[in-house]
Amino acid sequence: MSNVWWVVVVLGVITVLVKAAGPVALGNWTPSEKAKRVLTLVSPVVLSALIAVQVFTSGHHFQLDERAAGLGAAFVALLLKAPLLVVVLVAVAATAATRALF
């Protein structure tokens, strides 16, 4: 087995151990109501930040391009309560159409 695979195996084992440490260490802990409200908001906030970085930056620079049109179209589709698959397809179509036009 090459050195690369050993690194992959070791990192995989470390990942499993780190993921198991939380439930083992905090097994009987129950968060307060305020902590539960905050914890339920963490995932959407982190996802929104990742989307914003991917859509509005290129390297280390701000860039407004066709990806923003796709995000805007997806936002409109979400406001119209479209199913998730339709939202994704609308975003893809808007991005492709904007790239074709400009």
Side-chain angles (χ1 to χ4, degrees), residues 3-94:
N3 289 338
V4 173
W5 286 108
W6 281 112
V7 171
V8 170
V9 169
V10 169
L11 289 177
V13 169
I14 290 172
T15 301
V16 170
L17 292 174
V18 168
K19 286 188 174 216
V24 169
L26 302 173
N28 294 329
W29 177 72
T30 53
S32 66
E33 287 302 315
K34 185 176 180 179
K36 285 181 184 178
R37 287 194 306 268
V38 170
L39 290 172
T40 58
L41 295 175
V42 169
S43 295
V45 169
V46 170
L47 181 60
S48 299
L50 290 171
I51 290 171
V53 167
Q54 289 296 312
V55 170
F56 297 115
T57 61
S58 178
H60 295 287
H61 304 289
F62 175 78
Q63 183 173 357
L64 191 61
D65 59 6
E66 57 275 347
R67 295 175 293 177
L71 181 63
F75 181 72
V76 170
L78 284 172
L79 287 177
L80 295 173
K81 300 199 184 303
L84 184 59
L85 180 60
V86 173
V87 172
V88 172
L89 292 175
V90 165
V92 168

